[in-house]
Structure formats: C-alpha cells, structure tokens
Amino acid sequence: MLLKFKTKNYKSFVEETSFSMVAAPKQKGLDYSLTKIKVKGKEIRGLSSSVIYGPNAAGKTNIIGAMDVLRTIVLRGNIRNSEEKPSPNPAAAALELIPNNNEEEGKPVFFSAEFYVEDGENKFKVLYELEIDLGIFLDVEYPRKIISENLFVNETPIFQRTDNLYIGNMDIIRNYLSDATDHNIESVSEIAKSSLSQDELFLTNGFKLIFSQKFAKVIIDWFTNKFMVIYRADSMQLIKRFADPQKKAVYVEQTTDKAAKLFGINSNAVGYIVSEDEPDAKLYSIFRNAKSKKAAAVAAEIFESYGTIRFINMFPLVIKAIQTGGTLVVDEFDASIHPMALMSIINVFHNDDINIHHAQLIFNTHNPIFLNSNLFRRDEIKFVERDDNNHQSVLYSLSDFGTTGDRGVRQHEDYMGKYFISQYGAIKDIDFTPIFEEILYKEGEV
C-alpha cells in the first residue's frame, strides 16, 4: 500500500511535491476501505483511491511519470540510460529528460516512496529516498551521480548513503540478514562502503549482495508487482507470455472475457493468440463461424473499438491489484471508457467486502463526474495547477482548503459546481474565438 510519494525537480514539479495516500486529519464520512495500521504505536489510515484534476499541460501526467521513473530506476538498479526498447515514458529510459527545462543550473532530482508491505507475518513501513544529480535538461554527457540514498524501515534508518555510507540498526530486519552479516555487521559494513558506485543503487547492489538479499527482494517485489504504474492512456498494452506457446495457441481468460461481455464486446469471446514466430501474445476477437461452426479469429485492433481494447487490457490489472493489494496508477483512466464501467471499478476499490487486501486506485482525469462528495473523500481529490509565469506545477488536495472561510470546503457541498467557477483553481477559461476571428479577418471574410 502506497502511503506517500514525493518528488522534486522532476519536469514541471520544481519544488518538493508530496502525493499523499494517508487520510487527512479530521476528515469525516466515506470511511470505506481505510486501512488502519500501527507503526511504533501510531495509527496510520491509508486511502483506497485518489483522483487528480487539472487543465491540459498542468502536470497531471508528470506526477504519474515521476512514479514510473522511480519504479524503473529501482528495477534497473542504476541511473544510466536504458538500452532496452523505449518505454511509454521517455524520461524513464533517457534520464536527461527529467530536469526542469527552464533551469540554467543543474539542481538535484529527488524521489521518495513510502509504503506498507507485509511479508508473511512480518509487517513493515518502508521509506526509500533517492536524490540524484543529472545536470541540466538534455545534458546527455553529464557525469551522473547519486547524491543520497536512504532506506528506513518502521522509521528506523537501515542505511543512509551520501559520499560515505552509514549502516543503521538492523534489528528490525535481523531475520532477513545473511548469516555472515548477522554475526559481523561492522566488518561487512566496511566492505559495503568500498562497493559504492556513483551511478548504481546501493539498495539493489551492495545492500542486496552483502547484507540482505531477502529484504531487498521484499522491496523490489513491491516495486515490481504491487506498484503498477500505467503511463499515458494511449500506450496501455497488456503483454502475456506463455511458457510453451506451441501447446496452447489460443488462450481465453474467462474472468476478463466475462467482464468484456458485460462491457459490451462485439465478438463471441476475446482471447490471446501466440504464434510460433512471435512469443508475445496478441489480443484477438474470437467468433464461431455460422456455417462451419469452427472458431475464427480477427485481430482485436481491427474489429473492436479503442475503448473496448483499452478496457480489456486494463481489467486484468484491476484484478491483480484487488487480489494482491497492489497500487494501480493509471494516466487518464477514463479515456474512451463509459463512466458506468469506471464507476463500477471504483466501487470495487471502495467495497470493504471485496477489497479485503486494501488495493488502491490512483488516476488522473478531465471528467468532472468524479467530483462528487458521495463518491470521493476530500483528501482523495487532488488538483494540479501550473503557473503561467514560471511554468511550475503545484499539487494540492481538496482537504487542504479546510472547512471554514470563503474558500472552505464542506463535506456535502457541490464539488463539481464549485470547480467550474474556479473555487479550487486548477482550471482554465479557454476561448478559441479570437483565433478564428483573426483567421477570417485576414481572409477578408469579416
């Protein structure tokens, strides 16, 4: 479960920005799916969902992009550019695209993720922080360097890395330490200090190899399997691989197929087909021929609508999140999908009887239908606004306004109506009329 994500100097977010999935104090009502955990005697209440609003180019996708970049860096284990196929998020592969493009001097880029994870009977609140020097925007040749890297577990420092390395109290993860480390932490720490590389993460290298492969796996598994970030709505693609594609050329996933029928697919079924030449599964619409009674398949991208394909690609991720207690982050969750289908998915995350593993859904949108006090808590509704002068983005929550004063937000007021009269900011009055008047004037038609 994600508790907080922070970033600084990531694209338009120049100042430190905190995206919180912790319930704000004194918020009443809609207490569905609030996960209550205790760390050092303090109760933490985690939110099950969050929706992000703001005009085009405000930075809504940037905050999701920052999450995706940190995830990618952790899984890669270094801050070098990726040599693999480019991901939908170019900044995840080419880190010179990260720094704010208006800064003339390089400023450090900062990421942190605080999350709650369970491993068997063990429960941990993990905070991982990473600060890196990437130079200025588009400086490909800059010698990159990790400035600091910190790991805290249940608010206890495990390691803190700068130019040097501090090893903290590892009692809380003692059962995860290697035998050599458990009996001789001081001498092992000296070896670890000599292993530091300025462009490689200590978490996935020295800490994993020298101190605890088991606990590093707990963290890496969360980033791999529980932190599901879908960057850019038009690039969502679910790739399925099969161990032996020759034996199983057609695969129909029954749960997804049932959901697709409720959604309104045009075919008899949807399935994934694997050919001998291409091990990656492709989505197909599957029909039964009226004359021969044999099955026929047509590429889904030819027969089905974009919204249908996107729903079919996304729904297995929703299932995975609910089954594992994952955090699903989706850019433009509502793109080309009917609001009734989206409402049903949101209600699943808000249903305590179904969301028993405390999964989370985070998405950005332009659809005002979700600005509803009966659907989302005030601390679940976020806004992103971009300053027209310095082009910097800020992120804030509806609960930040409080409940009193001229801009106070009360529990059951009309969020949508207040948003459209710019009560909360993060909206622009757009009028294209002067552009067309100028065109007509130049053409002599006015």
Side-chain angles (χ1 to χ4, degrees):
M1 178 177 65
L2 179 67
L3 299 175
K4 285 184 182 179
F5 174 82
K6 293 182 180 180
T7 190
K8 183 178 181 180
N9 203 35
Y10 179 86
K11 294 190 175 182
S12 60
F13 288 97
V14 176
E15 301 300 324
E16 183 172 293
T17 299
S18 178
F19 186 96
S20 178
M21 289 297 289
V22 175
K26 300 180 181 180
Q27 296 293 298
K28 297 180 180 180
L30 297 182
D31 288 333
Y32 46 69
S33 298
L34 281 180
T35 302
K36 299 177 182 179
I37 59 175
K38 283 191 175 182
V39 178
K40 289 191 171 182
K42 297 179 181 178
E43 185 180 77
I44 300 174
R45 299 189 305 155
L47 300 172
S48 65
S49 61
S50 188
V51 55
I52 311 168
Y53 280 93
N56 289 108
K60 299 187 304 300
T61 299
N62 284 350
I63 195 67
I64 293 176
M67 295 178 184
D68 184 51
V69 166
L70 176 60
R71 179 182 182 275
T72 304
I73 289 175
V74 169
L75 299 187
R76 193 161 63 225
N78 62 66
I79 57 171
R80 299 187 290 271
N81 282 355
S82 173
E83 297 179 358
E84 299 178 358
K85 293 186 296 184
S87 73
N89 182 4
L95 303 191
E96 66 272 10
L97 298 175
I98 290 177
N100 183 270
N101 60 356
N102 291 318
E103 298 292 337
E104 296 180 359
E105 297 182 3
K107 294 182 178 180
V109 177
F110 175 77
F111 302 103
S112 79
E114 187 175 28
F115 54 94
Y116 175 76
V117 62
E118 296 183 3
D119 183 48
E121 295 182 357
N122 298 313
K123 302 176 181 180
F124 303 105
K125 186 178 82 164
V126 177
L127 171 61
Y128 179 70
E129 300 177 325
L130 180 66
E131 187 176 23
I132 53 181
D133 182 6
L134 303 175
I136 61 173
F137 182 67
L138 293 182
D139 191 349
V140 181
E141 303 299 326
Y142 189 83
R144 297 172 183 169
K145 178 183 178 182
I146 295 175
I147 298 174
S148 66
E149 181 185 6
N150 305 313
L151 176 64
F152 295 80
V153 178
N154 291 357
E155 302 181 357
T156 299
I158 302 300
F159 70 75
Q160 293 174 286
R161 169 208 182 158
T162 53
D163 291 333
N164 207 331
L165 179 65
Y166 166 76
I167 302 299
N169 186 344
M170 294 202 177
D171 286 346
I172 197 164
I173 59 168
R174 187 164 295 279
N175 293 337
Y176 290 81
L177 298 179
S178 64
D179 292 337
T181 300
D182 191 20
H183 293 94
N184 203 353
I185 289 183
E186 290 186 7
S187 61
V188 171
S189 298
E190 292 302 317
I191 298 173
K193 291 177 184 178
S194 64
S195 72
L196 292 178
S197 173
Q198 67 177 13
D199 63 356
E200 291 187 346
L201 304 185
F202 181 66
L203 171 68
T204 53
N205 292 281
F207 178 76
K208 176 182 177 181
L209 297 175
I210 300 172
F211 288 93
S212 178
Q213 184 175 0
K214 290 181 180 179
F215 196 73
K217 184 179 184 300
V218 170
I219 297 174
I220 295 169
D221 280 354
W222 184 84
F223 277 101
T224 304
N225 299 310
K226 298 289 187 71
F227 197 32
M228 297 176 283
V229 184
I230 307 302
Y231 178 85
R232 291 193 48 161
D234 60 355
S235 62
M236 181 185 291
Q237 184 178 14
L238 181 66
I239 300 298
K240 287 184 173 287
R241 294 181 179 273
F242 303 92
D244 193 352
Q246 283 76 20
K247 290 185 179 179
K248 200 167 188 179
V250 181
Y251 176 72
V252 177
E253 192 175 55
Q254 292 185 357
T255 303
T256 303
D257 187 54
K258 288 179 181 178
K261 283 181 168 58
L262 290 173
F263 184 78
I265 61 171
N266 293 319
S267 53
N268 296 123
V270 288
Y272 299 92
I273 295 183
V274 182
S275 66
E276 295 182 2
D277 300 329
E278 298 182 10
D280 288 346
K282 303 294 183 182
L283 184 65
Y284 277 76
S285 299
I286 302 172
F287 302 86
R288 185 171 297 278
N289 189 291
K291 291 184 178 180
S292 66
K293 305 300 181 182
K294 294 182 179 180
V298 178
E301 61 185 21
I302 296 174
F303 189 78
E304 307 289 354
S305 70
Y306 169 69
T308 299
I309 294 172
R310 190 165 182 274
F311 173 81
I312 294 170
N313 282 332
M314 180 174 65
F315 198 75
L317 300 179
V318 174
I319 294 173
K320 182 179 178 181
I322 293 296
Q323 288 179 329
T324 65
T327 299
L328 178 58
V329 186
V330 186
D331 174 55
E332 295 188 9
F333 172 65
D334 58 330
S336 301
I337 299 178
H338 195 278
M340 291 300 290
L342 300 175
M343 287 289 193
S344 182
I345 292 175
I346 292 169
N347 287 335
V348 167
F349 282 86
H350 291 176
N351 189 326
D352 292 322
D353 295 327
I354 296 176
N355 191 7
I356 58 176
H357 299 295
H358 308 294
Q360 295 171 302
L361 175 65
I362 299 170
F363 65 97
N364 61 22
T365 183
H366 293 287
N367 193 335
I369 193 173
F370 305 115
L371 281 169
N372 188 324
S373 61
N374 294 315
L375 187 62
F376 284 103
R377 294 162 51 97
R378 284 167 289 176
D379 46 9
E380 291 180 311
I381 299 174
K382 322 284 189 187
F383 298 100
V384 175
E385 191 169 51
R386 195 167 183 172
D387 190 288
D388 290 333
N389 296 318
N390 59 26
H391 305 290
Q392 296 181 15
S393 298
V394 293
L395 172 75
Y396 52 95
S397 171
L398 191 60
S399 60
D400 292 340
F401 288 92
T403 58
T404 59
D406 295 338
R407 301 191 68 187
V409 182
R410 290 157 186 82
Q411 185 175 341
H412 295 296
E413 73 179 31
D414 181 8
Y415 298 161
M416 185 191 301
K418 293 291 183 68
Y419 177 62
F420 278 115
I421 62 172
S422 198
Q423 182 77 16
Y424 314 133
I427 192 170
K428 285 189 175 181
D429 183 13
I430 300 175
D431 183 7
F432 296 120
T433 303
I435 295 177
F436 290 97
E437 288 178 342
E438 183 178 353
I439 292 173
L440 293 173
Y441 179 79
K442 288 180 178 180
E443 294 177 350
E445 296 185 21
V446 175

